[in-house]
Amino acid sequence: MLVNEKIAIEHGLKSDEYKKICKLLKRIPNFTELGIFSAMWNEHCSYKSSRIHLKKLPTKGKNVIQGPGENAGIIDVDDGDAIVFKIESHNHPSFIEPYQGAATGVGGIMRDVFTMGARPIANLNSIHFGSPQHKKTKNLLRGVVHGIGGYGNCMGVPTVGGQTSFDSSYNGNILVNAMTLGLVKKNKIFYSKAAGLNKPVIYVGSKTGRDGIHGASMASASFDDKIEEKKPTVQVGDPFTEKLLLEACLELMAGDSIIAIQDMGAAGLTSSSIEMASKGNLGIEIDLNKVPCRETKMTPYEIMLSESQERMLIVLENGKEELAKKIFDKWNLDFAVIGKTTNTKNIELFFDKKQVAKIPVNTLVENSPMYDRKWKKSKLPKKIKFEKSKLKNLKILQVLKKVLSSPNICNKEWIWRQYDHTVMGDTIQKPGGDSGVVRIHGTDKAVAATVDSSATYCWAHPLTGGKQVVCETWRNLISVGAKPIAITNCLNFGSPEKEENMGEFVECVQGIGEACKYLEYPVVSGNVSFYNQTKEIGIKPTPAIGGVGLIKNYKKMITMNFKEAGNQVLVIGKTEGHIDQSLFARLVLDEKNGPPPEVNLFNEKNNGETLLNLIEKNYIKSAHDVSLGGIITAISKMCIKGNKGIELTIPKFLINEIEYFFAEDQGRYLIEVSKEDLKNVIKILDKNSVHYDLIGKIIDNDMIINQKTKVTIDELKSYNTNWLKEYMV
Amino acid sequence: MKISAIITLKKDVLDPQGKVIHQALDGMGFNSVNEVRQGKYFEIEVKEDDPKKAKSLVDEMCKKLLANLVIENYKIIETQ
Amino acid sequence: MKISAIITLKKDVLDPQGKVIHQALDGMGFNSVNEVRQGKYFEIEVKEDDPKKAKSLVDEMCKKLLANLVIENYKIIETQ
Amino acid sequence: MKSSVITFPGSNCDRDMDVALKKFGFKNKMVWHDDQELPKSDLIVLPGGFSYGDYLRCGSMASKSKIMKSVINFAKSGGLVMGICNGFQILVEAGLVPGVLLRNKYLEFICKNVFVKIENKENSYFKNLDKNVFEFHIAHNEGNYFCTNEQLKEIEDNNQIAIYYCDHDGNLDNENNPNGSIRNIAGIFNKEKNVLGMMPHPERMIDQSLSGEDGAIFFKNLINNIK
Ligand SMILES: Nc1ncnc2c1ncn2[C@@H]1O[C@H](COP(=O)(O)OP(=O)(O)O)[C@@H](O)[C@H]1O
Ligand SMILES: [Mg+2]
């Protein structure tokens, strides 16, 4: 087929971009070449709208071994151990085919991690759905959860945490973000940078089929009425083959045969081969007839753009082919030498003995478009004047009941019980806590991981929202006794071509950057997902942040369940009564405006570090950060999980009960301390100028508020657990 | 009456199950197999005696629930 | 040639999948359904042009691997 | 005491089992499914996971692998063979224990702690255990034990039910049956009681930081029984 501008535009390229291609090549590309350009230059692979902003994120730190730019980020966790981790979106495919979309999302992120030599040790996920009343929500939720479980469970990697939210802005565009952590020895890390001439290029894994051709372009196109037409581009996951691929790759990696390795993710063979060549400043030559194909008569175009799953590309040392082949044969996987590295700095493809493409690698990578798109700054919304008298008339228990049973607060066990969270025998904190925690096998160390996002805050004020999410992950790590080390981020936004959406992106990224810099909590990997919208309606800006921290001695891990009657409960951090943008304001007052709670990075850091210090000294019996739903929601969860009650006496404050209990001021934690330790704890808090309120004492069965209002913990529990279960019946 | 629906993966869609079953059959010595594709089979008994109506009912079920037309095709057969 | 095998659960074996699908159909407003039973369907392409031989080959596959005769029945159909 | 854990393609609790067996004193060897011979062993374990992806029927393809011929011979000659979760499914498919394992009643994978009751202690696995109710961990999609009425009668007559799902106090009821199994069956013996298949994963409960320690009790007792 002859290429012209119209065909280029059908490939998702812009007219200017097509002209640029012709100029770079000094000719019109052929059809295969055009396919390659369109895949490499689309938003998903080229980051053309986001690159200039992402550059501003802090990516260095004393624990960072590998920052963004590789398949995943890597941090040092002492003793020669390193943790490889990354989060990635699979939003569009999951909306079209929830089971396979979510499953292949999980498969893809695990490959990113084991391609670096790491054995995956924990999975997490951040999933966002439309309003529960929307007709598609239930099936999407069920399909996505089954898909995540279906893939992760079969791989034998525990899913230890995550986040689930509902908001009507996702009605036509759900979010499915999957995160994986892997463990590797520092001196056994593998990279994607090819090196050396005439080295064999090896294809391993599954065969190539016509799956997801143009999947990467789909991820960069917003949905319109013609979704149906895009349907066949969804891939089917094969977790069994991926498990074999994992074992085979790790077996080969134990030796010294591999020069570079890269999984075939978005844009399959195209992006993997080009990335390896580009990083190594080399050329690559591929004989497409050698690529193992599942279907007959596949064209070079199809082979290059197929997104069949469970495949890897490897550059081997010369002479290691036999040894490598033996391993892949043992695991019953395809293995083929399909090409070699060259000094031409071109990607050259052959098919039926003819050259079918020849493109300078740099035109695909360095010369890819980069845009500084127009963006609109957001103003901080004005504070809402809530009527105090109206607040005072609310019955606290009724409000609490409503909050605890609301879709975004309710217990998510229906979800995570379907994920194998205990396989590998090292899960010491299951889902349902503040972070998932797994031991580093055979050591005293453990890694904690959490994934969070707060789209409502980001929507109200992106800069504050961006900071807030980072801080929330920081708090979730500290709450389990882990020292936060680094984050990965998945930036889910609407169209970058719209100034509002681009503005949300730019300012969220700025907020994330500021928080990370201040907290010395760098970004080591991430992913951008734009065009999350149906027709003209974009989602709320949803940066999902995955935080990872280290617990040096896992026996010091903290959980959030209240432990013992008689112990004292304190709130760390100051409660100002900020209810604008709180769950309470939206749910009970139907108020959607106002600014999000302010983030004070000094307090955030100081409060968090002081709490870690208290944990180190063994003063803390349980801890939980205060987030959505405020203090009383957090306390309720601690009661429910610990099967203990509490007698609450709110400090004599100027603000009223409702504001005190449901405000979402930042930087706060709840801690449980024994009577004997209280004095010492207070001394340390005072010394560090950390604000605290003593708010209650643990008792046996009830929650009692200011000696007058009483509710049993069993009741609280039923409020909290019933909604999702009943919804999913 | 009883109506059956057979649901199969579309031609170009990967069938991981069929693939592994094929390998297993090979391993057991059945080496004259070219391909195995797995599908689903439903037998649905409906309160409807008119075959045409019964079939069109099952057709609707396939479209709305049983098959995922993104990746699957279906075929309806009268069983009894 | 292509031979198909349909594998169904024996009558007295519980079919949780069928039951749940039945409930789901009910919930969607298909209330004229008496029963749903789920089974498996295989399309096997064998290097064998004699229908009788091909079928008997697939019959053996069913017995040895595809069906679990403790709980399942099977039926073989020539497809092409 | 020597044990062997078989790794099938797709097994994923093989390492966990290896760790557990070694922790309680077994000399364990990993055996590849494609091997023909078993190392000399006092106990063979078929571990959990998704052998062959759980495609077709769970355990069906693994039950046809090369090593299974030796495992079947070993079992027939009285050797101890234990299948956990997917291992149980493989035993069933290999015909070493009766019945089948269907999809869980609510069609959902279940990962959680459950209580189980062990009554029959006249066997090498449970002899000398000094309590009847244990807290074990399950993680499966197909643990819904089923058999025909005649089989059930035979199983009961021969005392082959090894483990039941129950409540905290050992009562068998529907509410504490996580997957819909007939008679709350969580594990079953062959007639001779040298082959045990069970859905729960004792290997995930071997120290106090994990989901519990009742698995440790099981393994300690097991090695003492074999000695
Ligand atoms: N999709 C999910 N996958 C795994 N775990 C989840 C998922 N959704 C929620 N959870 C678990 O439930 C816990 C509670 O969720 P959430 O109510 O958002 O908690 P918090 O506000 O304390 O962070 C999470 O920390 C996580 O462990
Ligand atoms: Mg939390």
Side-chain angles (χ1 to χ4, degrees):
Chain A
M1 193 192 285
L2 281 179
V3 169
N4 56 34
E5 186 172 321
K6 185 166 162 273
I7 295 175
I9 286 169
E10 279 164 14
H11 274 75
L13 290 160
K14 298 281 179 299
S15 168
D16 286 350
E17 292 173 344
Y18 175 65
K19 289 187 185 116
K20 186 172 172 186
I21 292 170
C22 297
K23 214 173 114 196
L24 285 168
L25 288 180
K26 301 192 189 81
R27 61 181 166 89
I28 293 174
N30 66 33
F31 194 62
T32 304
E33 291 169 337
L34 180 74
I36 291 173
F37 270 101
S38 78
M40 290 304 293
W41 280 19
N42 79 25
E43 194 63 61
H44 192 77
C45 290
S46 72
Y47 289 81
K48 58 190 170 192
S49 306
S50 57
R51 249 189 293 164
I52 61 165
H53 301 286
L54 295 177
K55 273 192 204 147
K56 297 176 203 151
L57 291 170
T59 58
K60 301 218 158 63
K62 68 176 200 315
N63 290 307
V64 178
I65 295 175
Q66 174 66 52
E70 266 290 339
N71 283 302
I74 309 184
I75 55 173
D76 191 333
V77 291
D78 306 336
D79 317 307
D81 295 323
I83 297 292
V84 179
F85 67 100
K86 190 179 180 207
I87 188 167
E88 197 153 83
S89 65
H90 227 215
N91 306 337
H92 290 76
S94 303
F95 185 71
I96 297 175
E97 213 306 304
Y99 183 94
Q100 297 297 347
T104 49
V106 172
I109 191 64
M110 281 198 267
R111 275 194 304 284
D112 271 331
V113 166
F114 71 78
T115 202
M116 304 201 72
R119 179 176 284 282
I121 57 170
N123 284 334
L124 294 94
N125 61 94
S126 170
I127 51 184
H128 301 255
F129 300 91
S131 145
Q133 282 77 42
H134 190 272
K135 63 178 195 305
K136 284 197 166 160
T137 299
K138 198 193 285 193
N139 281 336
L140 287 170
L141 173 59
R142 175 173 284 124
V144 164
V145 169
H146 283 183
I148 291 172
Y151 211 103
N153 298 351
C154 183
M155 286 293 287
V157 177
T159 298
V160 300
Q163 174 205 23
T164 311
S165 90
F166 300 89
D167 184 287
S168 56
S169 86
Y170 308 112
N171 280 354
N173 197 330
I174 61 170
L175 302 183
V176 174
N177 296 174
M179 172 172 167
T180 295
L181 279 71
L183 175 66
V184 69
K185 280 288 173 198
K186 244 164 91 174
N187 57 2
K188 280 303 250 176
I189 298 171
F190 290 84
Y191 295 98
S192 58
K193 180 181 164 182
L197 294 183
N198 285 319
K199 304 288 180 192
V201 174
I202 314 286
Y203 171 115
V204 298
S206 270
K207 287 186 167 49
T208 296
R210 293 194 174 91
D211 323 66
I213 292 177
H214 275 176
S217 316
M218 174 171 73
S220 304
S222 47
F223 284 147
D224 52 31
D225 294 330
K226 296 194 195 105
I227 292 184
E228 302 293 318
E229 288 175 17
K230 292 182 177 149
K231 278 181 170 179
T233 61
V234 173
Q235 308 101 310
V236 168
D238 181 359
F240 170 61
T241 298
E242 175 124 319
K243 168 73 174 161
L244 304 184
L245 187 60
L246 163 69
E247 299 303 337
C249 286
L250 292 181
E251 201 172 316
L252 179 61
M253 285 162 167
D256 52 3
S257 315
I258 298 177
I259 297 172
I261 175 165
Q262 167 75 39
D263 68 295
M264 294 190 222
L269 190 51
T270 294
S271 70
S272 53
S273 57
I274 290 165
E275 245 161 73
M276 298 223 277
S278 163
K279 289 205 174 108
N281 205 14
L282 290 167
I284 277 187
E285 196 182 289
I286 296 175
D287 179 356
L288 294 175
N289 294 96
K290 300 236 169 84
V291 173
C293 287
R294 199 170 78 223
E295 320 288 344
T296 47
K297 299 206 189 93
M298 285 189 67
T299 63
Y301 177 92
E302 290 173 324
I303 295 172
M304 286 309 285
L305 295 186
S306 159
E307 294 199 341
S308 289
Q309 303 285 297
E310 294 94 21
R311 303 178 299 162
M312 293 270 189
L313 203 61
I314 302 174
V315 178
L316 273 190
E317 285 295 354
N318 295 99
K320 299 285 187 179
E321 295 91 328
E322 271 315 301
L323 182 137
K325 183 171 187 306
K326 230 172 159 177
I327 292 175
F328 287 91
D329 282 350
K330 168 183 161 193
W331 291 99
N332 223 332
L333 294 162
D334 271 285
F335 175 99
V337 181
I338 62 167
K340 61 175 192 224
T341 58
T342 65
N343 63 0
T344 62
K345 300 192 187 173
N346 290 328
I347 169 115
E348 287 172 275
L349 307 177
F350 295 86
F351 191 66
D352 290 346
K353 307 228 156 61
K354 282 201 290 275
Q355 191 174 64
V356 291
K358 180 177 176 184
I359 312 175
V361 170
N362 63 355
T363 63
L364 292 163
V365 186
E366 289 114 79
N367 293 334
S368 68
M370 177 152 88
Y371 299 127
D372 186 358
R373 296 199 187 267
K374 284 216 179 78
W375 59 275
K376 205 171 134 200
K377 220 173 156 64
S378 311
K379 278 211 219 63
L380 190 67
K382 276 217 176 60
K383 264 197 100 117
I384 306 287
K385 289 203 177 66
F386 293 98
E387 274 177 58
K388 300 279 169 188
S389 60
K390 201 170 150 196
L391 293 182
K392 277 209 176 99
N393 285 336
L394 291 171
K395 294 261 179 317
I396 191 150
L397 279 186
Q398 274 169 15
V399 177
L400 181 60
K401 176 174 175 183
K402 202 164 175 185
V403 168
L404 285 180
S405 57
S406 68
N408 286 327
I409 291 281
C410 75
N411 182 298
K412 304 297 187 303
E413 185 168 341
W414 182 86
I415 295 171
W416 54 257
R417 211 188 41 217
Q418 297 185 55
Y419 301 152
D420 190 334
H421 47 262
T422 49
V423 64
M424 294 185 91
D426 281 308
T427 303
I428 57 173
Q429 182 143 185
K430 305 192 253 207
D434 284 326
S435 293
V437 185
V438 293
R439 291 188 296 213
I440 294 183
H441 192 69
T443 73
D444 290 338
K445 295 180 291 187
V447 264
T450 176
V451 56
D452 295 276
S453 66
S454 319
T456 331
Y457 297 166
C458 291
W459 171 78
H461 192 242
L463 181 68
T464 310
K467 282 192 233 177
Q468 189 277 342
V469 202
V470 174
C471 294
E472 178 148 0
T473 65
W474 161 272
R475 259 174 257 146
N476 276 320
L477 294 174
I478 286 181
S479 300
V480 300
K483 183 175 173 352
I485 296 183
I487 68 160
T488 178
N489 64 95
C490 191
L491 306 173
N492 306 282
F493 289 80
S495 167
E497 296 165 49
K498 279 171 66 182
E499 288 179 27
E500 291 80 22
N501 291 154
M502 194 62 208
E504 289 168 347
F505 177 80
V506 174
E507 293 192 283
C508 276
V509 169
Q510 190 187 336
I512 291 169
E514 281 178 27
C516 288
K517 200 169 284 167
Y518 193 90
L519 298 172
E520 296 169 85
Y521 188 35
V523 181
V524 297
S525 57
N527 165 250
V528 178
S529 170
F530 277 130
Y531 299 100
N532 288 290
Q533 59 187 72
T534 309
K535 293 179 199 160
E536 283 303 292
I537 310 161
I539 58 160
K540 283 185 181 161
T542 315
I545 306 286
V548 175
L550 178 68
I551 303 176
K552 285 225 161 109
N553 176 355
Y554 72 78
K555 300 223 160 93
K556 290 199 167 195
M557 180 186 74
I558 304 294
T559 56
M560 69 188 232
N561 43 311
F562 278 146
K563 301 291 178 315
E564 201 178 333
N567 283 351
Q568 301 289 315
V569 178
L570 288 76
V571 190
I572 291 185
K574 189 149 187 202
T575 305
E576 309 271 6
H578 186 105
I579 58 176
D580 301 64
Q581 292 301 340
S582 67
L583 183 103
F584 162 78
R586 248 172 302 141
L587 192 71
V588 180
L589 307 176
D590 200 26
E591 175 58 70
K592 297 185 177 63
N593 297 308
E598 201 186 315
V599 176
N600 178 320
L601 291 172
F602 173 83
N603 286 344
E604 198 63 67
K605 189 165 192 214
N606 188 35
N607 297 357
E609 284 175 350
T610 307
L611 177 51
L612 272 186
N613 181 10
L614 292 171
I615 291 171
E616 185 53 36
K617 294 194 156 68
N618 300 322
Y619 287 141
I620 303 299
K621 306 295 179 227
S622 66
H624 182 29
D625 67 307
V626 179
S627 57
L628 210 60
I631 289 179
I632 196 152
T633 304
I635 289 183
S636 302
K637 288 189 190 174
M638 297 173 88
C639 289
I640 292 168
K641 289 199 81 178
N643 225 345
K644 290 274 174 317
I646 188 166
E647 209 177 306
L648 289 167
T649 32
I650 59 162
K652 295 203 173 31
F653 255 86
L654 297 176
I655 52 179
N656 68 48
E657 248 178 30
I658 292 279
E659 280 176 304
Y660 185 77
F661 280 138
F662 293 100
E664 293 178 8
D665 300 282
Q666 297 296 296
R668 296 178 301 162
Y669 302 83
L670 284 154
I671 56 172
E672 173 189 348
V673 172
S674 75
K675 262 201 186 125
E676 301 79 62
D677 292 337
L678 188 63
K679 246 172 72 194
N680 288 329
V681 167
I682 288 177
K683 215 192 269 162
I684 293 176
L685 292 172
D686 280 337
K687 203 177 106 205
N688 289 285
S689 317
V690 173
H691 180 96
Y692 66 88
D693 303 332
L694 203 57
I695 66 156
K697 188 179 86 189
I698 298 178
I699 56 175
D700 270 330
N701 300 315
D702 307 296
M703 173 181 279
I704 305 172
I705 305 169
N706 277 345
Q707 287 156 7
K708 47 181 206 280
T709 318
K710 186 166 151 179
V711 58
T712 65
I713 301 308
D714 284 344
E715 260 175 280
L716 291 182
K717 189 170 191 167
S718 73
Y719 300 159
N720 193 228
T721 48
N722 290 347
W723 184 80
L724 188 55
K725 266 197 302 207
E726 283 163 11
Y727 178 68
M728 290 315 300
V729 167
Chain B
M1 70 186 307
K2 240 188 220 166
I3 304 287
S4 302
I6 291 176
I7 297 180
T8 46
L9 285 167
K10 287 186 180 166
K11 202 179 144 283
D12 281 348
V13 175
L14 171 73
D15 175 10
Q17 316 221 22
K19 186 176 99 183
V20 173
I21 292 167
H22 186 177
Q23 286 169 358
L25 286 170
D26 252 354
M28 292 167 73
F30 290 102
N31 17 38
S32 63
V33 178
N34 280 333
E35 198 187 7
V36 180
R37 301 280 286 176
Q38 178 166 356
K40 284 179 201 147
Y41 175 80
F42 296 96
E43 243 171 50
I44 302 174
E45 206 188 299
V46 286
K47 296 185 195 96
E48 178 58 71
D49 289 332
D50 176 24
K52 232 174 120 185
K53 283 193 191 150
K55 276 188 186 175
S56 100
L57 206 59
V58 173
D59 187 88
E60 215 186 314
M61 293 177 198
C62 284
K63 284 212 183 79
K64 291 207 175 142
L65 181 74
L66 302 179
N68 182 343
L69 301 180
V70 177
I71 46 173
E72 294 169 328
N73 292 323
Y74 67 91
K75 195 161 70 186
I76 289 170
I77 311 167
E78 190 179 325
T79 309
Q80 254 173 25
Chain C
M1 69 186 307
K2 237 188 220 167
I3 305 286
S4 303
I6 291 176
I7 297 181
T8 47
L9 283 170
K10 287 188 178 163
K11 226 171 143 270
D12 53 355
V13 178
L14 176 80
D15 175 12
Q17 270 154 290
K19 222 170 107 188
V20 168
I21 289 168
H22 187 174
Q23 283 165 2
L25 286 170
D26 252 353
M28 292 168 74
F30 291 104
N31 20 39
S32 63
V33 177
N34 280 332
E35 199 188 7
V36 180
R37 304 279 289 174
Q38 179 166 352
K40 285 176 199 146
Y41 174 80
F42 296 95
E43 245 171 48
I44 303 173
E45 207 189 297
V46 286
K47 295 184 196 97
E48 177 59 68
D49 289 330
D50 176 25
K52 233 174 121 184
K53 281 192 193 149
K55 276 190 186 174
S56 99
L57 206 58
V58 173
D59 187 88
E60 214 186 315
M61 293 177 198
C62 284
K63 283 211 184 80
K64 290 206 175 143
L65 180 73
L66 302 179
N68 178 342
L69 299 179
V70 180
I71 46 165
E72 293 170 328
N73 292 321
Y74 66 91
K75 198 160 68 185
I76 289 170
I77 311 167
E78 191 177 325
T79 308
Q80 254 172 22
Chain D
M1 291 299 102
K2 293 197 176 81
S3 59
S4 298
V5 172
I6 318 281
T7 300
F8 299 94
S11 294
N12 63 31
C13 305
D14 44 342
R15 184 196 75 172
D16 304 357
M17 184 54 79
D18 179 55
V19 168
L21 290 167
K22 284 178 179 154
K23 176 169 178 165
F24 299 102
F26 282 94
K27 279 210 178 71
N28 188 52
K29 279 218 172 85
M30 304 305 285
V31 179
W32 183 236
H33 74 108
D34 218 18
D35 290 351
Q36 287 193 345
E37 287 197 19
L38 286 169
K40 200 172 163 337
S41 318
D42 304 292
L43 171 72
I44 305 289
V45 184
L46 311 186
F50 289 67
S51 59
Y52 295 92
D54 272 0
Y55 300 154
L56 189 58
R57 291 178 313 278
C58 303
S60 58
M61 288 181 270
S63 73
K64 311 282 189 258
S65 59
K66 263 193 203 153
I67 195 72
M68 281 307 289
K69 290 202 184 87
S70 308
V71 172
I72 291 169
N73 287 336
F74 182 80
K76 294 258 154 85
S77 66
L80 296 185
V81 177
M82 177 167 81
I84 304 294
C85 199
N86 193 231
F88 183 10
Q89 293 159 344
I90 297 170
L91 288 178
V92 161
E93 284 282 343
L96 283 174
V97 294
V100 289
L101 291 152
L102 303 173
R103 270 294 284 275
N104 294 346
K105 194 169 159 199
Y106 297 108
L107 305 190
E108 275 157 19
F109 189 96
I110 310 169
C111 181
K112 69 170 187 182
N113 278 11
V114 293
F115 289 102
V116 296
K117 184 153 93 173
I118 294 174
E119 270 179 345
N120 178 359
K121 295 187 181 161
E122 285 159 32
N123 55 71
S124 311
Y125 296 96
F126 301 141
K127 186 170 64 188
N128 302 320
L129 283 176
D130 57 10
K131 62 175 185 174
N132 294 338
V133 177
F134 289 77
E135 191 173 358
F136 271 176
H137 194 76
I138 55 169
H140 62 249
N141 203 24
E142 273 102 354
N144 183 349
Y145 185 82
F146 180 84
C147 60
T148 60
N149 285 335
E150 301 89 75
Q151 270 180 321
L152 186 63
K153 187 169 178 301
E154 208 185 311
I155 288 168
E156 287 184 325
D157 289 348
N158 291 324
N159 237 329
Q160 280 173 258
I161 303 179
I163 306 179
Y164 300 90
Y165 299 109
C166 63
D167 72 2
H168 183 270
D169 302 315
N171 303 307
L172 312 188
D173 55 15
N174 250 338
E175 218 176 299
N176 291 286
N177 182 342
N179 51 27
S181 292
I182 281 194
R183 291 273 198 286
N184 282 38
I185 291 174
I188 206 126
F189 290 117
N190 64 346
K191 254 191 206 143
E192 295 74 25
K193 321 276 187 304
N194 60 316
V195 180
L196 166 65
M198 63 173 169
M199 289 317 292
H201 288 273
E203 79 279 10
R204 296 196 193 179
M205 311 193 73
I206 53 171
D207 73 63
Q208 60 178 16
S209 298
L210 302 177
S211 307
E213 284 190 287
D214 276 1
I217 299 176
F218 167 74
F219 282 110
K220 274 183 207 156
N221 186 63
L222 178 62
I223 192 160
N224 285 333
N225 285 349
I226 298 179
K227 262 180 200 162

